[in-house]
């Protein structure tokens, strides 16, 4: 059999995996990406809409990418550079209102989150007043770490050390913004690991333990020093070649593209198609994964075709992976990981600068859940005005649902779009006082779109590592939003690390025995 690798899933993780493979493999090795729908990009999707003679974009999933010098942020910028998309990038500067002002909807008002010590002088808004109290509580309260459990919910952890209000007013809002999930179910060990470790291993609470944890993590990261030095060198070479782009990105807090974030996945798809050894198969869901007679991995497609390869990189959401391995033993991560469903309501008003305050937007904490059906609202036009091209409009996005989707709107599969549109407009009326009629309201429902890293996640991840090892004779790895974090840059760095550092691409004839989870798991040891 000719040498080949299969990538399952054409979301941003699958596309970037195929990209890194295409860059590293000789043209004699085929790379086949299998996407079940006709759309490449997964949740990364930008629609073009029009109203009142104006055209504008509507993001269905992710809308901004974080800039900065972290490994994952640099990896995305390098990708943008490779794909020659620099001229299409639009940024929010570090000094913009969007970078500085993030709000919490609390007690019927927008409370600006502190952005530095200056906030202590100007006074803390009501939602944040619990924070200094919480810090004092942690510094003075005796150790109270539970000895009988290897994990606890973020709500339990924060309430125990900093007081319930810190979770009810602040942490629950932040987690609504990232995971669209409730902190009463999310894992403190997985999502607040340095804090969780400081509490477990220290004698005097979380804050005092953090210095020691930072020291430990520096020591642990020392084994990646060579890799990081090489990566920094690669970035500095790019800087010399294109200083204008990299300097501009140094000034940026976040960014997207003039025509929306799908520019990135489209750019990847276009460039991948130019490789003679890459095939992007769309509209063909994989239905079964099995080991073939010659020990190769076989993926059966809906039309009955069988795709054979020496290795499979599986980027599908966990519930989709489960369906491919129905005959296989059960696995807790596959079977027990809930995914949050989110309705994304794009609301457009025919007037500029319509919000009462400037900023990125606001999040709704648990403390305000009784008076809100929304998880939060993004002020898209305020964040990236260049995407509006000077048009007389304001775009806002209301995120609805999450953990309370069924309770508020019924099943995501059959929820009424009209009810969701009305809820979005009513949210903006009551939270921001926007009484004028929008020129466009459009809702899309992301059913099971964000994996929830719930209590016990790390133990389940370790079990998943063992499970993946046992599938397809060691010829499968997994990458994506359910493992190293759901943000786009986290998905991309996971894909790049797998291809650049873990797979042995010159020895594809042998089982790789690389699950893709090794490095993530070692970060929790
Ligand atoms: C509403 C929302 C807002 C977000 N906002 C941001 C943000 O602002 N910034 C940020 O960084 N991140 C954000 N995220 C997170 C980020 O967008 C996602 O985690 C990321 O896009 C996931 O990419 P993926 O490729 O791993 O998965 P997916 O996008 O889910 O792709 C998986 C692909 O697999 C395909 N598939 C499924 N089953 C099969 C099968 N049997 N055979 C073949 N193909 C199959 C699917 O059709 C899909 O295309 C947001 C996510 C959502 C949902």
């Amino acid at each position: 059999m000719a040498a080949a690798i299969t990538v399952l899933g054409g979301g941003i993780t699958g596309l970037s995996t195929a990209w890194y493979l295409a860059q590293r493999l000789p043209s004699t090795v085929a790379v086949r990406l299998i996407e079940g729908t006709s759309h490449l990009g997964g949740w990364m999707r930008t629609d073009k809409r029009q109203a009142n003679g104006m055209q504008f974009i509507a993001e269905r999933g992710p809308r901004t990418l974080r800039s900065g010098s972290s490994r994952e942020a640099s990896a995305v910028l390098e990708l943008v550079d490779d794909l020659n998309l620099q001229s299409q990038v639009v940024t929010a500067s570090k000094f913009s209102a969007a970078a500085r002002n993030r709000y919490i909807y609390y007690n019927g008002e927008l409370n600006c989150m502190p952005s530095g010590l200056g906030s202590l002088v100007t006074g803390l808004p009501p939602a944040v007043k619990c924070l200094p109290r919480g810090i004092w509580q942690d510094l003075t309260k005796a150790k109270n770490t539970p000895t009988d459990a290897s994990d606890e919910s973020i709500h339990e952890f924060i309430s125990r050390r900093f007081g319930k209000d810190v979770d009810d007013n602040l942490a629950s809002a932040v987690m609504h913004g990232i995971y669209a999930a409730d902190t009463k179910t999310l894992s403190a060990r997985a999502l607040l690991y340095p804090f969780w470790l400081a509490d477990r291993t220290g004698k005097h609470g979380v804050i005092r333990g953090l210095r020691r944890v930072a020291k430990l993590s520096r020591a642990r990261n020392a084994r990646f020093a060579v890799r990081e030095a090489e990566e920094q060198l690669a970035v500095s070479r790019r800087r010399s070649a294109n200083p204008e782009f990299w300097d501009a990105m140094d000034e940026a807090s976040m960014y997207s593209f003039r025509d929306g974030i799908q520019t990135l996945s489209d750019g990847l798809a276009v460039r991948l198609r130019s490789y003679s050894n890459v095939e992007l198969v769309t509209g063909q869901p994989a239905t079964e994964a099995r080991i073939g007679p010659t020990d190769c991995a076989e993926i059966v497609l809906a039309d009955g075709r069988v795709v054979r390869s020496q290795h499979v990189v599986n980027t599908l959401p966990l519930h989709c992976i489960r369906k491919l391995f129905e005959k296989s033993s059960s696995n807790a991560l596959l079977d027990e990981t809930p995914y949050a469903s989110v309705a994304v309501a794009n609301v457009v008003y025919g007037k500029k600068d319509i919000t009462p305050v400037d900023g990125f937007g606001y999040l709704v904490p648990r403390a305000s859940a009784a008076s809100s059906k929304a998880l939060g609202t993004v002020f898209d036009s305020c964040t990236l005005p260049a995407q509006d091209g000077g048009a007389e409009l304001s775009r806002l996005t209301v995120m609805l649902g999450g953990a309370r989707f069924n309770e508020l709107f019924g099943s995501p599969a059959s929820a009424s779009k009209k009810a969701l549109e009305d809820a979005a407009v009513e949210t903006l009326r009551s939270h921001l006082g926007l009484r004028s009629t929008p020129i466009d309201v459009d809702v899309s429902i992301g059913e099971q779109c964000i994996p929830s890293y719930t209590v016990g996640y790390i133990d389940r991840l370790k079990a998943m590592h063992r499970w993946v090892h046992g599938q397809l004779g060691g010829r499968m790895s997994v990458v994506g939003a359910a493992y190293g974090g759901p943000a786009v840059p986290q998905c991309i760095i996971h894909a790049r690390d797998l291809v650049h550092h873990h797979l042995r691409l010159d020895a594809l004839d042998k089982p790789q025995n690389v699950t893709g989870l090794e490095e993530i798991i070692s970060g929790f040891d």
Side-chain angles (χ1 to χ4, degrees), residues 7-16 34-44 59-66 177-178 261 281 284-288 299 301 315-317 319-321 323-324 339-340 342-344 360 399 446 448-451 479-482 485-491:
V7 178
L8 288 180
I12 190 62
T13 310
L15 288 168
S16 45
I34 312 291
E35 165 54 41
T37 67
S38 58
H39 165 74
L40 286 168
W43 293 114
M44 193 171 268
E59 298 289 8
R60 302 303 183 196
R63 58 211 52 237
T64 50
L65 301 167
R66 284 229 151 253
I178 304 173
I261 202 154
V281 180
Q284 275 303 321
T287 56
E288 190 187 344
I299 301 297
L301 304 187
T315 79
L316 304 187
H319 46 95
C320 301
I321 297 182
K323 289 188 192 139
L324 295 187
Y339 274 64
V342 179
V344 178
F360 179 72
M399 305 281 183
Q448 297 200 71
C449 60
I450 305 179
V479 204
V488 169
Q490 291 169 313
C491 295

Side-chain angles (χ1 to χ4, degrees), residues 366-438:
R366 179 183 301 112
S368 306
S371 57
S372 173
K373 291 182 177 173
L375 299 161
T377 296
V378 181
F379 303 165
D380 301 289
S381 291
C382 184
T383 304
L384 294 172
Q387 287 182 327
D388 295 342
E392 185 63 32
L393 54 81
S394 291
R395 288 180 301 119
L396 292 93
T397 307
V398 186
M399 305 281 183
L400 302 142
R404 295 165 66 217
F405 199 113
N406 286 55
E407 175 201 329
L408 296 172
F409 306 109
S411 157
S414 55
S416 148
K417 286 221 173 158
K418 176 77 175 68
L420 286 157
E421 284 173 15
D422 290 348
V425 174
E426 173 54 25
T427 295
L428 296 174
R429 195 192 62 75
S430 65
H431 292 183
L432 302 179
L434 302 185
R435 286 173 199 287
S436 54
T437 306

Side-chain angles (χ1 to χ4, degrees), residues 168-493:
D168 285 350
N169 298 359
L170 302 173
S172 57
V174 174
M175 292 298 160
H176 279 161
I178 304 173
Y179 295 95
D182 189 345
T183 52
K184 288 186 175 169
T185 62
L186 293 173
S187 158
R189 187 177 171 199
L191 303 181
L192 302 178
Y193 186 63
F195 301 93
W196 181 87
L197 193 62
D199 177 57
R200 291 272 150 163
T201 56
K203 289 186 188 141
H204 307 289
V206 177
I207 294 166
R208 288 198 232 183
L210 278 175
R211 259 182 60 183
R212 213 171 34 79
V213 169
K215 227 164 125 186
L216 278 175
S217 94
R218 272 198 301 277
R220 203 181 48 211
N221 290 343
R223 66 198 154 121
F224 298 121
V226 173
R227 177 173 92 180
E228 297 218 345
E230 281 168 4
E231 287 173 357
Q232 279 162 12
L233 188 64
V235 170
S236 63
R237 286 205 189 102
R238 286 173 188 267
R239 271 181 190 281
S240 314
N242 188 352
E244 211 178 303
F245 170 65
W246 288 88
D247 288 351
M249 297 318 292
D250 283 345
E251 290 297 303
S253 153
M254 58 199 135
Y255 65 100
S256 179
F257 302 89
R258 188 160 286 106
D259 291 335
I261 202 154
Q262 197 183 312
T263 303
L264 183 60
S265 43
D266 284 353
L268 275 165
V270 167
R271 287 292 293 280
L272 281 167
R273 286 198 171 101
S274 71
Y275 283 80
S276 60
N277 58 325
V278 176
E279 187 188 0
L280 305 182
V281 180
T282 54
Q284 275 303 321
T287 56
E288 190 187 344
R290 64 191 184 206
I291 194 83
T294 53
D295 273 356
C296 64
E298 289 188 343
I299 301 297
V300 184
L301 304 187
D303 65 0
R305 235 183 311 165
V306 178
V307 177
R308 296 189 175 85
S309 59
Q310 280 82 12
H311 196 74
V312 173
V313 181
N314 195 331
T315 79
L316 304 187
L318 295 169
H319 46 95
C320 301
I321 297 182
R322 173 28 98 211
K323 289 188 192 139
L324 295 187
F325 291 92
E326 265 170 355
K327 293 177 195 150
S328 173
S329 61
S330 65
N331 170 267
L333 199 74
L334 293 181
D335 297 334
E336 294 168 24
T337 303
Y339 274 64
S341 296
V342 179
V344 178
N346 292 282
V347 187
V348 183
Y349 294 86
K351 189 170 178 296
K352 279 188 178 183
D353 303 325
I354 199 163
T355 51
V357 289
D358 286 342
F360 179 72
Y362 67 89
L363 290 166
V364 179
R366 179 183 301 112
S368 306
S371 57
S372 173
K373 291 182 177 173
L375 299 161
T377 296
V378 181
F379 303 165
D380 301 289
S381 291
C382 184
T383 304
L384 294 172
Q387 287 182 327
D388 295 342
E392 185 63 32
L393 54 81
S394 291
R395 288 180 301 119
L396 292 93
T397 307
V398 186
M399 305 281 183
L400 302 142
R404 295 165 66 217
F405 199 113
N406 286 55
E407 175 201 329
L408 296 172
F409 306 109
S411 157
S414 55
S416 148
K417 286 221 173 158
K418 176 77 175 68
L420 286 157
E421 284 173 15
D422 290 348
V425 174
E426 173 54 25
T427 295
L428 296 174
R429 195 192 62 75
S430 65
H431 292 183
L432 302 179
L434 302 185
R435 286 173 199 287
S436 54
T437 306
I439 59 170
D440 190 49
V441 185
D442 187 58
V443 169
S444 59
I445 300 175
E447 200 179 340
Q448 297 200 71
C449 60
I450 305 179
S452 289
Y453 292 48
T454 50
V455 175
Y457 170 84
I458 303 299
D459 291 336
R460 292 196 294 276
L461 189 70
K462 289 179 181 172
M464 176 78 176
H465 170 66
R466 293 189 292 275
W467 183 87
V468 176
H469 249 304
Q471 305 304 317
L472 304 186
R475 293 184 181 276
M476 179 168 82
S477 312
V478 292
V479 204
Y483 316 105
V488 169
Q490 291 169 313
C491 295
I492 290 176
I493 195 78

